[in-house]
Amino acid sequence: MRNSIERVLIDQKSIQEKVKELAAEISRDYRGKKLVIVGVLKGAVVFLGDLVKNIDVPLILDFIAVSSYGNTTETSGVVRILKDLDNSIEGMDVLIVEDIIDSGLTLCYLMENLKSRGANSIKICTLLDKPYRRKADVKVDYKGFEIEDEFVVGYGLDFAERFRNLPEICVLKPEEYNNSKNCVC
Ligand code: IMP
Ligand code: MG
């Protein structure tokens, strides 16, 4: 697996420090609110797991799965719900937790979709942001790191379902995604 990696972009210590900062901000902002954390499957699960352990206000966890990518590193622009929330979010304070915002199309769609369900508030928390590639205007309320326009994997992020278990955020060797015959998604 390590042979496919060009370099480590964000190490474990920096990730954990940032997660604690974000969790402290979220805990402060959501005290006394009805917090529902909506994790976007599957990329956000590793980040979400660390994040919620550091949030010290009551919360409900729910998950949604959407598809925006096929087997390439470019967004298709087409977003589809593969798994919906288990519970109603009516009257709740929803915090969507994402791994990375790239074009913004996925989150733009999700925001509109969740807004129509009568939530009291909806905010966005993302570990990574690639602002230069934005196609849809999304307001990010809690952001870990801004990164350059490079394809990254690890800490939950995948390429063709691989590399999610790397503990750091890494840049993949370009030949890995140029040669996409290994794709399983
Ligand atoms: P968007 O709709 O273009 O903002 O795409 C967001 C989704 O694309 C993220 O939730 C990721 O699943 C995926 N994605 C975007 N950039 C990367 C990347 O660099 N590595 C892995 N997945 C990515
Ligand atoms: Mg994702």
Side-chain angles (χ1 to χ4, degrees), residues 40 43 68-69 73 75 79 98-107 130 133 147 150-153 157-159:
V40 185
S68 56
Y69 281 13
T73 59
T75 186
V79 181
E98 251 293 27
D99 50 358
I100 186 165
I101 305 181
D102 187 15
S103 70
L105 292 169
T106 309
L107 270 179
K130 285 186 193 169
R133 303 218 335 153
I147 63 168
E150 283 180 306
F151 197 81
V152 291
V153 295
L157 290 113
D158 73 310
F159 175 63

Side-chain angles (χ1 to χ4, degrees), residues 22-169:
L22 290 171
E25 263 185 79
I26 292 166
S27 303
R28 193 190 59 218
D29 294 350
Y30 283 89
R31 207 161 294 283
K33 301 229 166 130
K34 294 179 179 169
L35 175 58
V36 178
I37 297 226
V38 171
V40 185
L41 294 173
K42 304 171 201 169
V45 289
V46 178
F47 171 45
L48 184 143
D50 282 345
L51 188 71
V52 295
K53 283 186 283 181
N54 288 281
I55 295 177
D56 64 2
V57 295
L59 61 85
I60 288 172
L61 260 188
D62 211 335
F63 293 94
I64 197 162
V66 292
S67 79
S68 56
Y69 281 13
N71 54 8
T72 71
T73 59
E74 289 289 320
T75 186
S76 66
V78 178
V79 181
R80 208 158 47 95
I81 293 189
L82 304 176
K83 183 229 165 279
D84 207 345
L85 300 177
D86 290 336
N87 301 302
S88 163
I89 52 167
E90 198 174 342
M92 307 299 280
D93 296 297
V94 174
L95 180 63
I96 303 173
V97 175
E98 251 293 27
D99 50 358
I100 186 165
I101 305 181
D102 187 15
S103 70
L105 292 169
T106 309
L107 270 179
C108 191
Y109 170 83
L110 264 185
M111 280 295 274
E112 288 309 310
N113 183 295
L114 297 187
K115 260 185 206 161
S116 70
R117 306 185 194 194
N120 182 51
S121 66
I122 306 183
K123 286 189 182 181
I124 293 173
C125 172
T126 187
L127 178 66
L128 303 173
D129 185 12
K130 285 186 193 169
Y132 314 102
R133 303 218 335 153
R134 204 66 100 247
K135 289 185 186 150
D137 190 22
V138 278
K139 179 175 175 280
V140 182
D141 301 280
Y142 305 95
K143 184 193 299 190
F145 304 92
E146 273 191 15
I147 63 168
E148 300 291 324
D149 181 11
E150 283 180 306
F151 197 81
V152 291
V153 295
Y155 198 65
L157 290 113
D158 73 310
F159 175 63
E161 297 297 331
R162 296 159 64 215
F163 308 108
R164 294 192 196 276
N165 53 323
L166 284 171
E168 313 96 355
I169 311 276

